[in-house]
PDB file of all heavy atoms in Angstrom:
ATOM      1  N   TRP A  91     -28.784  15.507 -19.741  1.00 69.00           N
ATOM      2  CA  TRP A  91     -29.453  16.669 -19.148  1.00 69.00           C
ATOM      3  C   TRP A  91     -30.081  17.613 -20.175  1.00 69.00           C
ATOM      4  O   TRP A  91     -31.264  17.973 -20.032  1.00 69.00           O
ATOM      5  CB  TRP A  91     -28.466  17.415 -18.262  1.00 69.00           C
ATOM      6  CG  TRP A  91     -29.051  18.598 -17.529  1.00 69.00           C
ATOM      7  CD1 TRP A  91     -28.888  19.912 -17.828  1.00 69.00           C
ATOM      8  CD2 TRP A  91     -29.908  18.558 -16.386  1.00 69.00           C
ATOM      9  NE1 TRP A  91     -29.556  20.707 -16.948  1.00 69.00           N
ATOM     10  CE2 TRP A  91     -30.207  19.898 -16.038  1.00 69.00           C
ATOM     11  CE3 TRP A  91     -30.455  17.531 -15.623  1.00 69.00           C
ATOM     12  CZ2 TRP A  91     -31.026  20.242 -14.975  1.00 69.00           C
ATOM     13  CZ3 TRP A  91     -31.269  17.868 -14.551  1.00 69.00           C
ATOM     14  CH2 TRP A  91     -31.544  19.202 -14.240  1.00 69.00           C
ATOM     15  N   PRO A  92     -29.369  18.038 -21.232  1.00 70.00           N
ATOM     16  CA  PRO A  92     -30.007  18.950 -22.206  1.00 70.00           C
ATOM     17  C   PRO A  92     -31.173  18.299 -22.939  1.00 70.00           C
ATOM     18  O   PRO A  92     -32.204  18.941 -23.177  1.00 70.00           O
ATOM     19  CB  PRO A  92     -28.856  19.271 -23.169  1.00 70.00           C
ATOM     20  CG  PRO A  92     -27.618  18.986 -22.414  1.00 70.00           C
ATOM     21  CD  PRO A  92     -27.964  17.828 -21.548  1.00 70.00           C
ATOM     22  N   SER A  93     -31.037  17.018 -23.295  1.00 72.00           N
ATOM     23  CA  SER A  93     -32.116  16.344 -24.020  1.00 72.00           C
ATOM     24  C   SER A  93     -33.355  16.151 -23.156  1.00 72.00           C
ATOM     25  O   SER A  93     -34.461  15.977 -23.674  1.00 72.00           O
ATOM     26  CB  SER A  93     -31.633  14.992 -24.542  1.00 72.00           C
ATOM     27  OG  SER A  93     -31.262  14.148 -23.464  1.00 72.00           O
ATOM     28  N   ALA A  94     -33.170  16.175 -21.834  1.00 67.00           N
ATOM     29  CA  ALA A  94     -34.312  16.036 -20.925  1.00 67.00           C
ATOM     30  C   ALA A  94     -34.934  17.388 -20.593  1.00 67.00           C
ATOM     31  O   ALA A  94     -35.840  17.465 -19.759  1.00 67.00           O
ATOM     32  CB  ALA A  94     -33.867  15.348 -19.643  1.00 67.00           C
ATOM     33  N   GLY A  95     -34.443  18.451 -21.231  1.00 67.00           N
ATOM     34  CA  GLY A  95     -35.006  19.776 -21.012  1.00 67.00           C
ATOM     35  C   GLY A  95     -34.441  20.489 -19.811  1.00 67.00           C
ATOM     36  O   GLY A  95     -35.034  21.471 -19.345  1.00 67.00           O
ATOM     37  N   GLY A  96     -33.323  20.040 -19.305  1.00 63.00           N
ATOM     38  CA  GLY A  96     -32.719  20.672 -18.137  1.00 63.00           C
ATOM     39  C   GLY A  96     -32.072  22.008 -18.466  1.00 63.00           C
ATOM     40  O   GLY A  96     -31.751  22.306 -19.630  1.00 63.00           O
ATOM     41  N   ASP A  97     -31.896  22.834 -17.445  1.00 68.00           N
ATOM     42  CA  ASP A  97     -31.281  24.149 -17.615  1.00 68.00           C
ATOM     43  C   ASP A  97     -29.816  23.975 -17.973  1.00 68.00           C
ATOM     44  O   ASP A  97     -29.053  23.310 -17.269  1.00 68.00           O
ATOM     45  CB  ASP A  97     -31.421  24.941 -16.315  1.00 68.00           C
ATOM     46  CG  ASP A  97     -31.142  26.421 -16.517  1.00 68.00           C
ATOM     47  OD1 ASP A  97     -30.405  26.749 -17.474  1.00 68.00           O
ATOM     48  OD2 ASP A  97     -31.645  27.231 -15.723  1.00 68.00           O
ATOM     49  N   ARG A  98     -29.407  24.614 -19.067  1.00 67.00           N
ATOM     50  CA  ARG A  98     -28.030  24.446 -19.544  1.00 67.00           C
ATOM     51  C   ARG A  98     -27.003  25.131 -18.637  1.00 67.00           C
ATOM     52  O   ARG A  98     -25.812  24.896 -18.778  1.00 67.00           O
ATOM     53  CB  ARG A  98     -27.907  25.001 -20.970  1.00 67.00           C
ATOM     54  CG  ARG A  98     -28.673  24.173 -21.998  1.00 67.00           C
ATOM     55  CD  ARG A  98     -28.495  24.714 -23.397  1.00 67.00           C
ATOM     56  NE  ARG A  98     -29.191  23.892 -24.371  1.00 67.00           N
ATOM     57  CZ  ARG A  98     -28.656  22.825 -24.962  1.00 67.00           C
ATOM     58  NH1 ARG A  98     -27.418  22.478 -24.658  1.00 67.00           N
ATOM     59  NH2 ARG A  98     -29.355  22.111 -25.819  1.00 67.00           N
ATOM     60  N   GLU A  99     -27.464  25.998 -17.729  1.00 69.00           N
ATOM     61  CA  GLU A  99     -26.520  26.656 -16.820  1.00 69.00           C
ATOM     62  C   GLU A  99     -25.783  25.638 -15.959  1.00 69.00           C
ATOM     63  O   GLU A  99     -24.628  25.833 -15.582  1.00 69.00           O
ATOM     64  CB  GLU A  99     -27.265  27.650 -15.929  1.00 69.00           C
ATOM     65  CG  GLU A  99     -27.811  28.861 -16.666  1.00 69.00           C
ATOM     66  CD  GLU A  99     -28.508  29.818 -15.729  1.00 69.00           C
ATOM     67  OE1 GLU A  99     -28.572  29.506 -14.514  1.00 69.00           O
ATOM     68  OE2 GLU A  99     -28.987  30.862 -16.189  1.00 69.00           O
ATOM     69  N   TYR A 100     -26.454  24.536 -15.638  1.00 67.00           N
ATOM     70  CA  TYR A 100     -25.840  23.532 -14.775  1.00 67.00           C
ATOM     71  C   TYR A 100     -24.762  22.728 -15.496  1.00 67.00           C
ATOM     72  O   TYR A 100     -23.986  22.008 -14.867  1.00 67.00           O
ATOM     73  CB  TYR A 100     -26.913  22.588 -14.227  1.00 67.00           C
ATOM     74  CG  TYR A 100     -27.868  23.272 -13.275  1.00 67.00           C
ATOM     75  CD1 TYR A 100     -29.146  23.640 -13.690  1.00 67.00           C
ATOM     76  CD2 TYR A 100     -27.489  23.559 -11.967  1.00 67.00           C
ATOM     77  CE1 TYR A 100     -30.028  24.271 -12.812  1.00 67.00           C
ATOM     78  CE2 TYR A 100     -28.348  24.179 -11.087  1.00 67.00           C
ATOM     79  CZ  TYR A 100     -29.620  24.539 -11.513  1.00 67.00           C
ATOM     80  OH  TYR A 100     -30.479  25.168 -10.648  1.00 67.00           O
ATOM     81  N   LEU A 101     -24.722  22.836 -16.827  1.00 71.00           N
ATOM     82  CA  LEU A 101     -23.713  22.098 -17.573  1.00 71.00           C
ATOM     83  C   LEU A 101     -22.304  22.599 -17.284  1.00 71.00           C
ATOM     84  O   LEU A 101     -21.327  21.883 -17.499  1.00 71.00           O
ATOM     85  CB  LEU A 101     -24.000  22.193 -19.077  1.00 71.00           C
ATOM     86  CG  LEU A 101     -25.249  21.461 -19.582  1.00 71.00           C
ATOM     87  CD1 LEU A 101     -25.408  21.644 -21.081  1.00 71.00           C
ATOM     88  CD2 LEU A 101     -25.149  19.975 -19.232  1.00 71.00           C
ATOM     89  N   VAL A 102     -22.204  23.836 -16.799  1.00 75.00           N
ATOM     90  CA  VAL A 102     -20.888  24.369 -16.435  1.00 75.00           C
ATOM     91  C   VAL A 102     -20.273  23.526 -15.329  1.00 75.00           C
ATOM     92  O   VAL A 102     -19.081  23.179 -15.357  1.00 75.00           O
ATOM     93  CB  VAL A 102     -21.001  25.845 -15.988  1.00 75.00           C
ATOM     94  CG1 VAL A 102     -19.649  26.357 -15.495  1.00 75.00           C
ATOM     95  CG2 VAL A 102     -21.530  26.700 -17.126  1.00 75.00           C
ATOM     96  N   PHE A 103     -21.097  23.155 -14.346  1.00 76.00           N
ATOM     97  CA  PHE A 103     -20.598  22.370 -13.220  1.00 76.00           C
ATOM     98  C   PHE A 103     -20.268  20.938 -13.647  1.00 76.00           C
ATOM     99  O   PHE A 103     -19.257  20.371 -13.218  1.00 76.00           O
ATOM    100  CB  PHE A 103     -21.642  22.362 -12.097  1.00 76.00           C
ATOM    101  CG  PHE A 103     -21.974  23.724 -11.577  1.00 76.00           C
ATOM    102  CD1 PHE A 103     -23.147  24.351 -11.956  1.00 76.00           C
ATOM    103  CD2 PHE A 103     -21.104  24.391 -10.723  1.00 76.00           C
ATOM    104  CE1 PHE A 103     -23.458  25.613 -11.479  1.00 76.00           C
ATOM    105  CE2 PHE A 103     -21.400  25.651 -10.238  1.00 76.00           C
ATOM    106  CZ  PHE A 103     -22.584  26.274 -10.625  1.00 76.00           C
ATOM    107  N   THR A 104     -21.131  20.365 -14.489  1.00 76.00           N
ATOM    108  CA  THR A 104     -20.854  18.997 -14.937  1.00 76.00           C
ATOM    109  C   THR A 104     -19.631  18.953 -15.841  1.00 76.00           C
ATOM    110  O   THR A 104     -18.858  17.988 -15.801  1.00 76.00           O
ATOM    111  CB  THR A 104     -22.069  18.414 -15.676  1.00 76.00           C
ATOM    112  OG1 THR A 104     -22.416  19.270 -16.777  1.00 76.00           O
ATOM    113  CG2 THR A 104     -23.259  18.291 -14.751  1.00 76.00           C
ATOM    114  N   ALA A 105     -19.450  19.991 -16.650  1.00 77.00           N
ATOM    115  CA  ALA A 105     -18.264  20.041 -17.510  1.00 77.00           C
ATOM    116  C   ALA A 105     -17.000  20.156 -16.665  1.00 77.00           C
ATOM    117  O   ALA A 105     -15.978  19.511 -16.947  1.00 77.00           O
ATOM    118  CB  ALA A 105     -18.363  21.217 -18.486  1.00 77.00           C
ATOM    119  N   ALA A 106     -17.072  20.983 -15.603  1.00 80.00           N
ATOM    120  CA  ALA A 106     -15.920  21.117 -14.699  1.00 80.00           C
ATOM    121  C   ALA A 106     -15.635  19.797 -13.996  1.00 80.00           C
ATOM    122  O   ALA A 106     -14.470  19.387 -13.860  1.00 80.00           O
ATOM    123  CB  ALA A 106     -16.185  22.221 -13.685  1.00 80.00           C
ATOM    124  N   ALA A 107     -16.697  19.102 -13.564  1.00 80.00           N
ATOM    125  CA  ALA A 107     -16.514  17.803 -12.916  1.00 80.00           C
ATOM    126  C   ALA A 107     -15.933  16.790 -13.889  1.00 80.00           C
ATOM    127  O   ALA A 107     -15.088  15.960 -13.514  1.00 80.00           O
ATOM    128  CB  ALA A 107     -17.849  17.309 -12.365  1.00 80.00           C
ATOM    129  N   LEU A 108     -16.361  16.858 -15.142  1.00 78.00           N
ATOM    130  CA  LEU A 108     -15.837  15.937 -16.156  1.00 78.00           C
ATOM    131  C   LEU A 108     -14.353  16.169 -16.404  1.00 78.00           C
ATOM    132  O   LEU A 108     -13.558  15.217 -16.451  1.00 78.00           O
ATOM    133  CB  LEU A 108     -16.619  16.104 -17.460  1.00 78.00           C
ATOM    134  CG  LEU A 108     -16.182  15.238 -18.642  1.00 78.00           C
ATOM    135  CD1 LEU A 108     -16.296  13.762 -18.294  1.00 78.00           C
ATOM    136  CD2 LEU A 108     -16.993  15.567 -19.886  1.00 78.00           C
ATOM    137  N   LEU A 109     -13.960  17.434 -16.533  1.00 82.00           N
ATOM    138  CA  LEU A 109     -12.547  17.745 -16.761  1.00 82.00           C
ATOM    139  C   LEU A 109     -11.696  17.324 -15.576  1.00 82.00           C
ATOM    140  O   LEU A 109     -10.598  16.771 -15.746  1.00 82.00           O
ATOM    141  CB  LEU A 109     -12.385  19.249 -17.032  1.00 82.00           C
ATOM    142  CG  LEU A 109     -12.960  19.763 -18.355  1.00 82.00           C
ATOM    143  CD1 LEU A 109     -12.837  21.278 -18.432  1.00 82.00           C
ATOM    144  CD2 LEU A 109     -12.241  19.118 -19.536  1.00 82.00           C
ATOM    145  N   LEU A 110     -12.191  17.597 -14.368  1.00 80.00           N
ATOM    146  CA  LEU A 110     -11.439  17.222 -13.168  1.00 80.00           C
ATOM    147  C   LEU A 110     -11.289  15.718 -13.055  1.00 80.00           C
ATOM    148  O   LEU A 110     -10.203  15.210 -12.744  1.00 80.00           O
ATOM    149  CB  LEU A 110     -12.133  17.772 -11.924  1.00 80.00           C
ATOM    150  CG  LEU A 110     -11.500  17.402 -10.572  1.00 80.00           C
ATOM    151  CD1 LEU A 110     -10.082  17.942 -10.488  1.00 80.00           C
ATOM    152  CD2 LEU A 110     -12.351  17.912  -9.421  1.00 80.00           C
ATOM    153  N   SER A 111     -12.358  14.988 -13.315  1.00 79.00           N
ATOM    154  CA  SER A 111     -12.309  13.525 -13.189  1.00 79.00           C
ATOM    155  C   SER A 111     -11.397  12.917 -14.240  1.00 79.00           C
ATOM    156  O   SER A 111     -10.677  11.950 -13.965  1.00 79.00           O
ATOM    157  CB  SER A 111     -13.713  12.940 -13.286  1.00 79.00           C
ATOM    158  OG  SER A 111     -14.321  13.285 -14.523  1.00 79.00           O
ATOM    159  N   VAL A 112     -11.406  13.472 -15.451  1.00 80.00           N
ATOM    160  CA  VAL A 112     -10.501  12.965 -16.490  1.00 80.00           C
ATOM    161  C   VAL A 112      -9.053  13.225 -16.105  1.00 80.00           C
ATOM    162  O   VAL A 112      -8.179  12.361 -16.275  1.00 80.00           O
ATOM    163  CB  VAL A 112     -10.825  13.621 -17.848  1.00 80.00           C
ATOM    164  CG1 VAL A 112      -9.737  13.302 -18.876  1.00 80.00           C
ATOM    165  CG2 VAL A 112     -12.175  13.143 -18.366  1.00 80.00           C
ATOM    166  N   TYR A 113      -8.788  14.410 -15.550  1.00 75.00           N
ATOM    167  CA  TYR A 113      -7.426  14.724 -15.098  1.00 75.00           C
ATOM    168  C   TYR A 113      -6.972  13.755 -14.007  1.00 75.00           C
ATOM    169  O   TYR A 113      -5.853  13.229 -14.043  1.00 75.00           O
ATOM    170  CB  TYR A 113      -7.370  16.157 -14.577  1.00 75.00           C
ATOM    171  CG  TYR A 113      -6.097  16.464 -13.816  1.00 75.00           C
ATOM    172  CD1 TYR A 113      -4.900  16.702 -14.480  1.00 75.00           C
ATOM    173  CD2 TYR A 113      -6.096  16.483 -12.413  1.00 75.00           C
ATOM    174  CE1 TYR A 113      -3.731  16.968 -13.781  1.00 75.00           C
ATOM    175  CE2 TYR A 113      -4.934  16.743 -11.703  1.00 75.00           C
ATOM    176  CZ  TYR A 113      -3.752  16.987 -12.401  1.00 75.00           C
ATOM    177  OH  TYR A 113      -2.604  17.231 -11.701  1.00 75.00           O
ATOM    178  N   LEU A 114      -7.847  13.488 -13.037  1.00 75.00           N
ATOM    179  CA  LEU A 114      -7.496  12.567 -11.948  1.00 75.00           C
ATOM    180  C   LEU A 114      -7.306  11.147 -12.463  1.00 75.00           C
ATOM    181  O   LEU A 114      -6.420  10.423 -12.000  1.00 75.00           O
ATOM    182  CB  LEU A 114      -8.580  12.603 -10.874  1.00 75.00           C
ATOM    183  CG  LEU A 114      -8.707  13.906 -10.073  1.00 75.00           C
ATOM    184  CD1 LEU A 114      -9.890  13.836  -9.120  1.00 75.00           C
ATOM    185  CD2 LEU A 114      -7.420  14.203  -9.316  1.00 75.00           C
ATOM    186  N   ALA A 115      -8.139  10.756 -13.429  1.00 75.00           N
ATOM    187  CA  ALA A 115      -8.000   9.412 -13.992  1.00 75.00           C
ATOM    188  C   ALA A 115      -6.659   9.262 -14.712  1.00 75.00           C
ATOM    189  O   ALA A 115      -6.001   8.221 -14.612  1.00 75.00           O
ATOM    190  CB  ALA A 115      -9.154   9.128 -14.949  1.00 75.00           C
ATOM    191  N   LEU A 116      -6.241  10.304 -15.412  1.00 73.00           N
ATOM    192  CA  LEU A 116      -4.944  10.258 -16.084  1.00 73.00           C
ATOM    193  C   LEU A 116      -3.796  10.291 -15.079  1.00 73.00           C
ATOM    194  O   LEU A 116      -2.771   9.624 -15.256  1.00 73.00           O
ATOM    195  CB  LEU A 116      -4.819  11.431 -17.065  1.00 73.00           C
ATOM    196  CG  LEU A 116      -5.761  11.411 -18.273  1.00 73.00           C
ATOM    197  CD1 LEU A 116      -5.631  12.700 -19.072  1.00 73.00           C
ATOM    198  CD2 LEU A 116      -5.467  10.203 -19.150  1.00 73.00           C
ATOM    199  N   GLU A 117      -3.980  11.075 -14.012  1.00 71.00           N
ATOM    200  CA  GLU A 117      -2.930  11.209 -12.999  1.00 71.00           C
ATOM    201  C   GLU A 117      -2.715   9.904 -12.245  1.00 71.00           C
ATOM    202  O   GLU A 117      -1.570   9.495 -11.989  1.00 71.00           O
ATOM    203  CB  GLU A 117      -3.307  12.322 -12.010  1.00 71.00           C
ATOM    204  CG  GLU A 117      -2.367  12.475 -10.829  1.00 71.00           C
ATOM    205  CD  GLU A 117      -0.986  12.981 -11.219  1.00 71.00           C
ATOM    206  OE1 GLU A 117      -0.833  13.534 -12.333  1.00 71.00           O
ATOM    207  OE2 GLU A 117      -0.054  12.813 -10.403  1.00 71.00           O
TER     208      GLU A 117
END
Side-chain angles (χ1 to χ4, degrees):
W91 183 256
S93 62
D97 195 335
R98 292 182 178 272
E99 291 181 359
Y100 293 103
L101 291 180
V102 175
F103 300 103
T104 57
L108 179 60
L109 291 175
L110 177 61
S111 59
V112 170
Y113 167 77
L114 292 176
L116 293 174
E117 174 68 18

